[in-house]
Amino acid sequence: MKKRAIEGLYAITPDEPHTIALLDKVRQTLQGGAQVLQYRNKPADSVLRLQQAHALRQLTREFGATFIVNDDARLAAQVGADGVHLGGEDGGIAAARALLGEAKIVGVSCYNRAPLAFEAVRQGADYVAFGAFFASAVKPGAVQAEVSMLQAARRELCVPIVAIGGITLQNGAALIAAGADALAVISALWNAPDIEQAARDFSTLFGRTSA
C-alpha cells in the first residue's frame, strides 16, 4: 500500500476548544487546497482530543487530504489517521511504527539539526521537519533554522522535507526554492481574514490551484 504524499500546504490546527468551530476553519483550509492537515491541540484533554481527531479524520477523508496527528501515535491509531508527527520528546520512531504499522506515515521534528534528520531517516522516518525558519508567535523561543541548512539537507535526503516557523505568503516561496516539499503553517492561515483564500494563496506557491 503506497503511503500518502507529504507536500504542499501542511496546515497545523489551532488550539480551538470548540469542535464545530474547528471543523468550520479546517473545511475552509481544505477547500483552499491544503494537502496535509496535522491535528495539534496541546491544551485539550484526552476526551476532546479523541472527539476532534475523529471528526477531522472524517473531514480529511472527504477532501482526500493526508491526516497526521501530532505527538500521539496511540491517538493516531485510534482514529485511523494517515500517520503521526513526533517531536523530540514524543517517543521513538520504532514505538510509533509498532503501533501504526509500516503503511502509516511517521514524521519527525529535527529543528535546526541536519544530523537528527539523517538519523531519523535511518530509523525509518517518512519525512522530516526543520524550523523555525522565521520568528514564530506560536513558539517564540524556538531555535532558529537557516535556509542554507535546508538547502544542504535537501541535497542529502531522499524523504520529503517540511519547513515550519513563522511562514507567510511573503517568505514561503524562498523555502520552497531551497528544497522544502511542504510548508507547515499555523498563524498566517488561521489568523487570516479569509482562511480559504489564504490556503489558496499558499497552494499557489506550489503551482497548485483549488476549484
Side-chain angles (χ1 to χ4, degrees):
M1 180 178 172
K2 185 178 180 181
K3 295 182 182 180
R4 300 183 65 85
I6 299 294
E7 60 185 10
L9 173 58
Y10 184 128
I12 300 179
T13 60
D15 293 338
E16 173 58 67
H18 303 293
T19 301
I20 292 175
L22 177 63
L23 291 173
D24 178 63
K25 292 174 182 178
V26 170
R27 180 175 288 277
Q28 291 179 61
T29 198
L30 294 174
Q31 287 173 335
Q35 301 292 299
V36 184
L37 180 79
Q38 182 189 121
Y39 174 55
R40 179 183 183 276
N41 192 345
K42 296 286 190 180
D45 61 26
S46 59
V47 174
L48 180 60
R49 282 168 56 82
L50 181 59
Q51 178 195 71
Q52 291 187 337
H54 266 303
L56 291 171
R57 168 69 290 187
Q58 294 175 8
L59 186 58
T60 50
R61 279 198 178 115
E62 180 183 334
F63 284 88
T66 301
F67 182 50
I68 303 294
V69 171
N70 179 263
D71 290 353
D72 193 337
R74 192 170 300 279
L75 178 60
Q78 279 183 285
V79 301
D82 294 304
V84 67
H85 184 88
L86 304 175
E89 300 177 354
D90 297 328
I93 294 169
R97 186 70 71 200
L99 275 171
L100 295 173
E102 292 297 325
K104 299 294 185 177
I105 296 166
V106 177
V108 179
S109 289
C110 298
Y111 311 103
N112 63 347
R113 297 167 59 190
L116 279 182
F118 301 141
E119 178 59 19
V121 172
R122 189 190 70 79
Q123 293 182 23
D126 296 296
Y127 75 88
V128 296
F130 292 118
F133 284 97
F134 308 102
S136 168
V138 176
K139 290 187 176 182
V143 295
Q144 186 76 28
E146 300 296 332
V147 174
S148 58
M149 182 274 301
L150 171 60
Q151 292 171 321
R154 176 71 288 166
R155 289 193 291 269
E156 300 292 332
L157 293 169
C158 59
V159 300
I161 296 175
V162 179
I164 190 171
I167 295 174
T168 66
L169 288 167
Q170 289 68 43
N171 61 34
L175 297 176
I176 297 170
D181 298 284
L183 299 180
V185 183
I186 304 175
S187 299
L189 184 59
W190 309 114
N191 294 342
D194 185 333
I195 293 172
E196 182 176 342
Q197 186 59 52
R200 187 172 288 112
D201 291 341
F202 273 109
S203 298
T204 300
L205 295 179
F206 294 90
R208 298 185 178 89
T209 57
S210 61

